[in-house]
Amino acid sequence: MNIMDFNMKKLAADAGTFLSRAVQFTEEKLGQAEKTELDAHLENLLSKAECTKQWTEKVMKQTEVLLQPNPNARIEEFVYEKLDRKAPSRLNNPEILGQYMIDAGNEFGPGTAYGNALIKCGETQKRIGAADRELIQTSAINFLTPLRNFIEGDYKTITRERKLLQNKRLDLDAAKTRLKKAKVAEARASSEQEVRIAQSEFDRQAEITRLLLEGISSTHAHHLRCLNDFVEAQMTYYAQCYQYMLDLQKQLGSFPSTFLANNNQSSSTYAPSSSTITPSASVTASLSSISNTAATSSFGELKSSSGSRKARVLYDYDAANSTELSLLADEVITVYSIPGMDSDWLMGERGNQKGKVPITYLELLN
C-alpha cells in the first residue's frame, strides 16, 4: 500500500466518523437518540471553569480600561503586543498637564508668585504621572499577565480537551445506537466490541478532562495572590500621590491675606452657614484669627516707632513701579515705617536697594 492509498483510506475513515457524529448529534437534538450524560461532579467542574473564564475576561478587560482609559492607546498597545514590538513611549495625561504648567510658569516668570506656583504644581503632576506609569507596569506584570495566561493558555487547553470529550461521547452513543440496530449475531458481536472500545476511550478522555478542570481551584488560589499584588500596587500608587500633594501643599503654603480677602468676598455667595462648620474648622479659624491679630499688633508697634526690624519674606513679589521693592521668598530684609505711609506698606531695604513693600508678604523676626 502506497502513501496515497493510506491517506485516502484515512480521509474516508475520518469522513465516516464525522458523519456518524453529525447524525448522532442531530438525532439527539430531535429527541430520536439517547445521550450519555456526564457525571454530576464533572458537570460542576465544567460549569466552574466556564464561570471562571467569563469573569476573568470581564475583570481583565475592565482593569485594562482602569489603567488605560484611552481606547485608541489600548488598541495600539494590543497591536504592538501581537507584533512582538515595544510600543513607543508617550507622555500620559498627568505628565502632559505638568509640562503645560511648567511652560506656563516659565512664561509668566518663575520669580512671580503665580509662575512659581505653576512650576511647583507642574513638577508634582509629572511625579504623579511617573507613579501612574509604574502602577500600569506593575499591574500588567503581576495581575493582567496571569489572567491573560489563563484565558489564552489553560482555558484553551480545557476547551480542546472538552471538545475531544464531546466527540468521544458522540462516538460512544453512535456505537450504542448501531448495537441496538444490529440484527445478525456477527454484526452484534462487532458492535459490542466497538462499544467497548468507544466506552474505554470516553472514560479515558473524561478522566483527562476532569484532572484539568480540578486545576481551576489552583488557578483561583494563584489569581488571589495576583489580586493581592494588584491591591498593593494601587495602595503604593495612592500613597505616593497623597504624599506628593501633601508636599506640594506645604510648598505652596497659603496665599497672602489680601488675596484671601478678595477670594472670600467673591465666593461669599457659596459660603456654608455657620451651623455647618465643623469643630476643627472653628478651632483653625480661631487660631488663624489670633495669629493675624498678633502679626497686626507687631506691625502696628513698628509703625508707631522710629526704629527698624528684620523681616522674612513669605512670598515672591514683583514691584509694580519704581517706588516699590521686588522680593524673593525666604530672603531677610530690613523694614521700617515713614510718616504718612499707607497702613498696608512699609519701607524695605536690601543692601543699597530700597522701596515700599506690602506687609502681607512679610513676617517680622525677633
Side-chain angles (χ1 to χ4, degrees):
M1 181 186 301
N2 56 36
I3 296 178
M4 184 174 292
D5 291 339
F6 175 79
N7 289 338
M8 290 298 294
K9 289 187 176 182
K10 186 175 184 301
L11 287 174
D14 291 342
T17 301
F18 177 79
L19 180 60
S20 174
R21 290 170 180 169
V23 170
Q24 177 65 27
F25 182 80
T26 303
E27 290 180 349
E28 287 176 359
K29 291 296 181 182
L30 296 174
Q32 299 175 355
E34 294 182 2
K35 175 182 176 181
T36 299
E37 299 293 341
L38 302 177
D39 64 77
H41 178 60
L42 189 55
E43 287 285 5
N44 288 334
L45 290 175
L46 287 169
S47 297
K48 184 178 180 180
E50 181 64 25
C51 181
T52 300
K53 179 254 186 182
Q54 291 178 355
W55 284 110
T56 299
E57 281 184 331
K58 289 181 179 180
V59 170
M60 182 179 69
K61 289 178 180 178
Q62 194 56 40
T63 304
E64 291 173 344
V65 172
L66 173 69
L67 297 176
Q68 178 51 269
N70 188 337
N72 293 330
R74 291 201 304 274
I75 292 173
E76 181 185 58
E77 291 172 358
F78 175 80
V79 171
Y80 274 98
E81 182 181 348
K82 291 302 179 183
L83 294 175
D84 198 19
R85 293 173 58 186
K86 185 178 180 181
S89 178
R90 291 187 174 87
L91 296 178
N92 54 31
N93 290 331
E95 289 172 331
I96 294 173
L97 174 60
Q99 191 58 54
Y100 284 169
M101 287 182 167
I102 292 173
D103 293 343
N106 289 325
E107 184 72 20
F108 296 145
T112 65
Y114 183 42
N116 189 31
L118 277 171
I119 292 174
K120 289 177 179 177
C121 288
E123 290 171 347
T124 299
Q125 290 294 332
K126 294 186 83 169
R127 283 195 288 270
I128 291 175
D132 185 63
R133 197 181 295 277
E134 183 178 352
L135 170 65
I136 292 174
Q137 182 179 5
T138 302
S139 300
I141 295 173
N142 296 336
F143 187 58
L144 289 177
T145 297
L147 298 187
R148 188 175 292 108
N149 287 342
F150 168 73
I151 297 296
E152 298 179 355
D154 295 349
Y155 192 78
K156 280 190 174 180
T157 302
I158 290 173
T159 301
R160 184 174 61 251
E161 296 301 328
R162 183 177 182 176
K163 186 176 180 181
L164 283 174
L165 178 62
Q166 171 75 349
N167 290 336
K168 296 300 181 183
R169 185 196 63 75
L170 289 171
D171 290 343
L172 173 60
D173 289 337
K176 289 179 178 179
T177 300
R178 286 191 293 271
L179 176 60
K180 286 182 180 180
K181 294 179 180 179
K183 303 298 182 181
V184 183
E186 185 178 346
R188 286 189 62 83
S190 176
S191 297
E192 287 173 353
Q193 177 66 17
E194 186 181 359
V195 168
R196 283 193 294 271
I197 295 174
Q199 183 70 57
S200 174
E201 292 181 352
F202 171 76
D203 292 341
R204 177 177 175 276
Q205 185 59 40
E207 181 64 16
I208 293 173
T209 307
R210 183 185 63 79
L211 291 174
L212 283 173
L213 292 172
E214 287 177 346
I216 292 294
S217 296
S218 299
T219 299
H220 285 189
H222 178 52
H223 287 180
L224 174 59
R225 292 192 295 271
C226 297
L227 181 61
N228 286 332
D229 291 340
F230 178 56
V231 170
E232 185 175 346
Q234 283 188 303
M235 182 184 68
T236 301
Y237 167 71
Y238 290 120
Q240 284 179 325
C241 291
Y242 174 76
Q243 188 61 50
Y244 291 154
M245 298 311 296
L246 198 63
D247 293 343
L248 175 62
Q249 187 182 45
K250 292 178 180 177
Q251 289 177 26
L252 294 180
S254 59
F255 289 107
S257 58
T258 53
F259 294 163
L260 285 174
N262 292 336
N263 185 62
N264 288 338
Q265 290 173 5
S266 64
S267 61
S268 59
T269 307
Y270 307 98
S273 64
S274 59
S275 61
T276 62
I277 299 177
T278 62
S280 60
S282 301
V283 172
T284 302
S286 300
L287 291 175
S288 177
S289 175
I290 293 171
S291 176
N292 290 337
T293 301
T296 303
S297 176
S298 298
F299 282 113
E301 293 175 0
L302 177 61
K303 282 183 171 291
S304 63
S305 69
S306 58
S308 62
R309 292 276 296 274
K310 293 291 185 182
R312 184 175 69 86
V313 178
L314 299 176
Y315 319 99
D316 293 342
Y317 176 74
D318 290 333
N321 52 55
S322 59
T323 66
E324 298 179 5
L325 179 66
S326 294
L327 304 174
L328 292 175
D330 293 327
E331 70 172 328
V332 177
I333 63 173
T334 301
V335 293
Y336 56 91
S337 179
I338 58 176
M341 178 168 282
D342 189 282
S343 61
D344 291 331
W345 296 81
L346 288 171
M347 287 297 295
E349 285 189 4
R350 182 202 305 111
N352 296 326
Q353 298 176 316
K354 65 171 59 178
K356 294 192 301 180
V357 293
I359 64 173
T360 53
Y361 281 69
L362 302 173
E363 177 187 22
L364 292 178
L365 301 177
N366 294 327

